[in-house]
Amino acid sequence: MTGAKKKKKSMLWSKMHTPQCEDIIQWCRRRLPILDWAPHYNLKENLLPDTVSGIMLAVQQVTQGLAFAVLSSVHPVFGLYGSLFPAIIYAIFGMGRHVATGTFALTSLISANAVERIVPQNIQNLTTQSNTSVLGLSDFEMQRIRVAAAVSFLGGVIQVAMFVLQLGSATFIVTEPVISAMTTGAATHVVTSQVKYLLGIKMPYISGPLGFFYIYAYVFENIKSVRLEALLLSLLSIVVLVLVKELNEQFKRKIKVVLPVDLVLIIAASFACYCTNMENTYGLEVVGHIPQGIPSPRAPPMSILSAVITEAFGVALVGYVASLALAQGSAKKFKYSIDDNQEFLAHGLSNIVSSFFFCIPSAAAMGRTAGLYSTGAKTQVACLISCIFVLIVIYAIGPLLYWLPMCVLASIIVVGLKGMLIQFRDLKKYWNVDKIDWGIWVSTYVFTICFAANVGLLFGVVCTIAIVIGRFPRAMTLNIKNMKEMEFKVKTEMESETLQQVKIVSINNPLVFLNAKKFYTDLMNIIQKENACNQPLDDISKCEQNTLLNSLSNGNCNEEALQSCPNEKYSLILDCSGFTFFDYSGVSMLVEVYMDCKGRNVDVLLAHCTASLIKAMKYYGNLDSEKPIFFESVSAAISHIHANKNLSKFNDHSEV
């Protein structure tokens, strides 16, 4: 008897602790998203648009790789490596199908602080100028890239640690206004760093608090040193880039392939510089020698990790937040879901693996991601195809870029940041929706300008949380009730008996960034619970569900949440009398609920809305102007539903 019990226990133990084959496959598909979409890749429909997008992306990867490497204070060739390896790693582990990972202006600017601090420019003459090291570069250049690689390695380790700690679920505290202000401020910093190339001025490296203002002070003090040739070439390049890109955007529906103006400008400028010998004749600074090939992998120097920990945290947080915003926007635009925590793993491994190949820190860039949108990319295959063309540049075309003027490269960077810089237009949106978010945007931008992107990000998050904590006690003094769901079944007479269900949901809590996603999840769960297809017509049920503020977690919801029975008509009434206050994220989520329900033939009506809520929702989203959705009371909304039902019945009889 004892032996049988032991045998039974051992069998149960083995079942509990022995992973099944299906569990392993599911885990691999969850952690290696490429295994999920690659087997179902449609060559006939997707290969051509992905190839075209990949070619266009390769042009951006090469130009931005060269430019952001210079921004990171390392040799331009290392930017080419940074455009290759991170893209491959992210394609395997990342979930954003339209996210282009590679060199990034913000992370390059942060890593440049470590490079200039540990290997400053003034020690160049003290180092050995031999060309016997890797790729024939000087020891000074190799010391600099090792510092940048150490920042990338440690930043990746921090991101993987955050993945292990499941901190992806805490990213909801980084609100859209904070991300917008931080990226706009960082883009302003990047433009400022390129002023010396645009004007052809020799300028020492300036950083630290208020460094933004010191740079412009130095420029005005040395305004007589501006090279007219560099200034004119920069202005001409910017005008050509902006004009052609605007034309591409205007006629992208009529032309199948947009003009790669970046590539054309690089070829034209390099050829003109070579023919006229601008480097010696006019003193224009050029890119210089680009070595061929990829060096053997080498571990970053572990001895300096403690010296770059500040920059590593900045790279990890700023790079992840900016990349996650692009991935979430891509997922929302093309109707698929991403795992915030998996993105930590994808970007962490991209930085760790790439650091062994002399790469600067990487992240997703807005310009490249927008390029994938406009060229019709379908999957990450477009990024993998771009890597093939980057390899061709590394092994064959790289040396031809010797004559590329730095002022042209700086112009490409500035124009490429247009998507971030035009986020200034968001100020009007935040002012009309929530003036507190407007204030957070302005203050976060000012802190980013005065200090750095990571400081601005930290300030924005702390400021947002402090304001919400200050506003919640005012709401807690009110009579807060749990969300109540009341269901009514209305029998309508049409060609066949159909079921019309009116669901009245009363919400008695603030709706802000802390609970916006939880609100969306709970509301979808309430609708998903309904299985009216299997219930009698006159069934009336009541239930209570504690919804808002029970959990501040980042809720997720299945896409099938709103799928209803084919013979069922839903009407959802949201009683907003309990909305004591809201912010931009709350309004955004309300509009998203309305649009999702509208797409699934579910009528959404809002009752007891304040004038500020109605104004904010109308300003934020393109709501249906033909059908009224705002009502003074719940009874008025129900009367409207019955009136529409009777009108529909009358129209049917008229047709007969």
Side-chain angles (χ1 to χ4, degrees):
M1 190 72 176
T2 306
K5 285 184 178 180
K6 285 184 178 180
K7 187 176 180 181
K8 189 174 181 180
K9 279 186 177 182
S10 63
M11 289 177 65
L12 290 171
W13 183 262
S14 63
K15 285 183 179 180
M16 290 174 61
H17 292 271
T18 303
Q20 301 295 323
C21 182
E22 293 182 0
D23 297 334
I24 296 175
I25 293 174
Q26 187 177 4
W27 183 89
C28 290
R29 292 182 67 178
R30 190 168 66 250
R31 297 303 168 212
L32 297 170
I34 193 173
L35 299 179
D36 192 27
W37 59 262
H40 308 290
Y41 186 77
N42 191 325
L43 288 172
K44 186 176 180 180
E45 293 183 4
N46 298 338
L47 185 59
L48 180 59
D50 279 344
T51 302
V52 174
S53 298
I55 295 173
M56 302 302 295
L57 176 61
V59 175
Q60 288 183 300
Q61 289 278 36
V62 170
T63 54
Q64 292 184 3
L66 295 172
F68 294 156
V70 174
L71 184 62
S72 192
S73 298
V74 299
H75 194 278
V77 71
F78 299 116
L80 296 179
Y81 306 151
S83 300
L84 174 65
F85 294 102
I88 297 174
I89 302 301
Y90 184 84
I92 297 173
F93 293 94
M95 299 187 71
R97 301 174 193 170
H98 302 80
V99 174
T101 303
T103 55
F104 186 41
L106 275 62
T107 54
S108 297
L109 200 62
I110 294 172
S111 66
N113 293 332
V115 173
E116 293 288 349
R117 188 180 72 251
I118 298 175
V119 189
Q121 188 73 31
N122 55 17
I123 72 166
Q124 184 173 5
N125 297 328
L126 303 177
T127 57
T128 305
Q129 295 298 314
S130 64
N131 293 331
T132 57
S133 59
V134 179
L135 297 173
L137 298 175
S138 66
D139 291 336
F140 173 76
E141 294 289 358
M142 295 311 301
Q143 289 178 24
R144 288 199 149 198
I145 187 56
R146 289 190 186 105
V147 174
V151 174
S152 177
F153 175 81
L154 187 56
V157 170
I158 293 171
Q159 288 174 329
V160 172
M162 290 178 174
F163 161 76
V164 174
L165 296 174
Q166 299 288 305
L167 294 183
S169 59
T171 54
F172 68 94
I173 65 175
V174 186
T175 61
E176 184 178 330
V178 172
I179 296 174
S180 174
M182 182 270 294
T183 52
T184 306
T188 310
H189 270 297
V190 174
V191 171
T192 302
S193 69
Q194 299 303 300
V195 168
K196 61 180 180 180
Y197 298 116
L198 295 172
L199 302 179
I201 295 178
K202 296 291 183 181
M203 182 188 300
Y205 182 78
I206 301 174
S207 64
L210 304 180
F212 173 84
F213 303 101
Y214 292 139
I215 291 176
Y216 285 105
Y218 183 92
V219 170
F220 285 116
E221 289 175 2
N222 298 270
I223 196 69
K224 294 181 180 179
S225 302
V226 173
R227 290 188 179 274
L228 185 60
E229 297 83 4
L231 177 60
L232 292 176
L233 188 55
S234 299
L235 291 175
L236 179 62
S237 300
I238 291 174
V239 169
V240 170
L241 287 168
V242 172
L243 183 62
V244 176
K245 289 191 175 186
E246 286 296 324
L247 291 175
N248 282 338
E249 188 68 22
Q250 291 290 331
F251 298 101
K252 65 181 180 180
R253 294 182 179 179
K254 296 181 180 179
I255 55 177
K256 294 183 178 180
V257 180
V258 297
L259 177 65
V261 61
D262 294 0
L263 178 62
V264 173
L265 182 62
I266 287 174
I267 295 173
S270 301
F271 183 74
C273 185
Y274 171 76
C275 293
T276 58
N277 195 18
M278 290 184 184
E279 182 183 15
N280 299 320
T281 305
Y282 302 108
L284 286 184
E285 187 176 356
V286 297
V287 170
H289 175 62
I290 303 292
Q292 288 179 299
I294 299 176
S296 301
R298 184 180 298 181
M302 302 297 169
S303 58
I304 64 171
L305 292 184
S306 59
V308 300
I309 190 168
T310 303
E311 288 80 10
F313 266 103
V315 164
L317 296 178
V318 173
Y320 171 76
V321 168
S323 302
L324 181 64
L326 292 174
Q328 290 176 336
S330 169
K332 186 175 181 179
K333 183 179 180 69
F334 295 98
K335 307 299 182 184
Y336 61 88
S337 60
I338 63 167
D339 182 355
D340 296 353
N341 210 53
Q342 177 67 21
E343 292 297 292
F344 260 132
L345 177 64
H347 290 288
L349 292 178
S350 295
N351 279 314
I352 291 174
V353 175
S354 301
S355 67
F356 287 82
F357 293 91
F358 304 97
C359 293
I360 59 179
S362 64
M366 180 181 293
R368 296 194 299 266
T369 302
L372 289 179
Y373 290 170
S374 62
T375 53
K378 302 296 183 183
T379 64
Q380 277 290 326
V381 170
C383 296
L384 295 176
I385 291 174
S386 74
C387 292
I388 298 174
F389 290 93
V390 173
L391 271 175
I392 294 174
V393 173
I394 291 174
Y395 279 95
I397 305 176
L400 300 178
L401 299 173
Y402 178 96
W403 297 99
L404 177 62
M406 288 299 301
C407 59
V408 174
L409 202 56
S411 302
I412 293 174
I413 293 178
V414 171
V415 176
L417 294 171
K418 175 189 171 186
M420 291 184 183
L421 294 174
I422 62 175
Q423 291 180 133
F424 279 109
R425 296 185 302 188
D426 292 346
L427 284 171
K428 181 181 179 182
K429 175 176 64 177
Y430 297 130
W431 179 264
N432 284 281
V433 174
D434 184 19
K435 291 177 177 57
I436 291 181
D437 279 338
W438 182 90
I440 291 174
W441 196 103
V442 173
S443 57
T444 301
Y445 177 80
V446 171
F447 262 75
T448 303
I449 287 296
C450 294
F451 299 99
N454 49 350
V455 177
L457 177 64
L458 180 62
F459 170 81
V461 171
V462 172
C463 184
T464 305
I465 294 175
I467 288 175
V468 171
I469 291 175
R471 294 170 82 184
F472 261 115
R474 176 166 57 88
M476 292 298 183
T477 59
L478 301 176
N479 183 21
I480 297 180
K481 302 175 182 178
N482 294 332
M483 176 184 284
K484 294 185 178 181
E485 174 196 352
M486 297 171 288
E487 301 172 359
F488 299 90
K489 305 284 176 69
V490 180
K491 183 176 180 181
T492 61
E493 297 177 358
M494 296 176 66
E495 293 181 1
S496 61
E497 288 189 347
T498 59
L499 185 68
Q500 182 175 0
Q501 177 187 348
V502 180
K503 301 169 77 70
I504 305 174
V505 180
S506 177
I507 308 153
N508 297 282
N509 280 292
L511 188 59
V512 294
F513 73 98
L514 288 172
N515 56 10
K517 289 188 177 180
K518 184 66 166 55
F519 161 76
Y520 181 84
T521 302
D522 290 336
L523 191 60
M524 296 304 104
N525 287 339
I526 287 177
I527 299 175
Q528 190 179 22
K529 273 193 321 181
E530 176 60 34
N531 52 358
C533 295
N534 301 321
Q535 294 181 354
L537 296 179
D538 57 350
D539 179 38
I540 299 177
S541 60
K542 294 184 179 179
C543 67
E544 292 187 0
Q545 181 167 351
N546 193 6
T547 303
L548 295 179
L549 305 180
N550 285 345
S551 170
L552 299 181
S553 63
N554 183 6
N556 295 315
C557 181
N558 296 328
E559 293 181 359
E560 294 82 6
L562 276 173
Q563 295 295 338
S564 58
C565 302
N567 65 333
E568 184 176 355
K569 175 69 175 177
Y570 275 123
S571 288
L572 175 65
I573 300 176
L574 293 180
D575 182 1
C576 302
S577 57
F579 274 142
T580 52
F581 64 87
F582 54 87
D583 65 359
Y584 182 83
S585 299
V587 173
S588 171
M589 194 57 66
L590 267 180
V591 175
E592 186 174 343
V593 166
Y594 173 80
M595 298 305 293
D596 283 353
C597 292
K598 180 182 176 183
R600 293 170 173 82
N601 199 28
V602 178
D603 293 331
V604 178
L605 299 87
L606 286 82
H608 295 119
C609 296
T610 61
S612 58
L613 179 61
I614 295 174
K615 178 183 176 182
M617 289 189 66
K618 286 183 176 179
Y619 183 85
Y620 180 88
N622 296 321
L623 303 180
D624 194 346
S625 58
E626 297 180 357
K627 298 180 180 179
I629 62 171
F630 300 104
F631 296 89
E632 295 181 356
S633 63
V634 174
S635 59
I638 295 176
S639 299
H640 173 76
I641 294 172
H642 280 277
N644 279 354
K645 180 198 68 174
N646 294 331
L647 179 62
S648 174
K649 183 169 64 174
F650 175 77
N651 290 337
D652 289 341
H653 284 302
S654 298
E655 290 177 4
V656 173

